[in-house]
Amino acid sequence: MLHDPLTGLPGHALLLDRLEQSLIRARTRGTLVTLVLITAPDSLLDAARVLRAGLRPDFTVARYRDTALAVLAEHDFGDGSPIASLIRQLVGDSPHIHWVTSDGETPPDEVIATAERH
């Protein structure tokens, strides 16, 4: 599904497509991609609204699973810790936040698997 009917956010399929495109850009431009997974927020709708309003417009906020959201961010340097910290400030301490940063050399499924483990 391209867009999630509950949140209005991009759905899982669109997230995967955007992740793949971001990884290609990272590989060809020498940039980085950070994927942040936010699991079990108290209110998925509130978290989705807060993230869309509080993050840069070029970040993708998507519904990842039933009780999980994802944020996809492209950046020039560093790791995902500042992005994860900003997300924590926006959604609070109750959700679990997992993230990974890639230079584009890792396939999309491995990026997701790594984010899920961290």
Side-chain angles (χ1 to χ4, degrees):
M1 158 175 358
L2 292 181
H3 282 86
D4 175 60
L6 177 66
T7 62
L9 296 173
H12 191 85
L14 190 51
L15 172 66
L16 293 177
D17 181 64
R18 289 186 181 176
L19 175 59
E20 184 173 2
Q21 295 303 312
S22 294
L23 292 169
I24 290 169
R25 282 190 295 276
R27 201 169 43 251
T28 59
R29 296 179 183 167
T31 57
L32 299 168
V33 175
T34 293
L35 175 67
V36 182
L37 302 179
I38 305 103
T39 57
D42 291 336
S43 170
L44 193 70
L45 291 175
D46 288 343
R49 188 181 69 254
V50 166
L51 289 170
R52 272 310 323 133
L55 295 174
R56 290 180 7 195
D58 61 326
F59 286 10
T60 296
V61 179
R63 180 125 183 233
Y64 177 61
R65 293 213 169 122
D66 287 343
T67 60
L69 299 172
V71 174
L72 182 62
E74 296 179 39
H75 49 98
D76 292 329
F77 57 88
D79 63 17
S81 57
I83 298 164
S85 294
L86 175 57
I87 291 169
R88 174 134 345 262
Q89 289 173 354
L90 293 170
V91 298
D93 291 330
S94 62
H96 298 284
I97 295 176
H98 309 272
W99 59 272
V100 63
T101 298
S102 174
D103 60 2
E105 295 299 326
T106 308
D109 57 332
E110 286 183 38
V111 170
I112 291 171
T114 301
E116 288 177 336
R117 288 192 303 266
H118 287 99

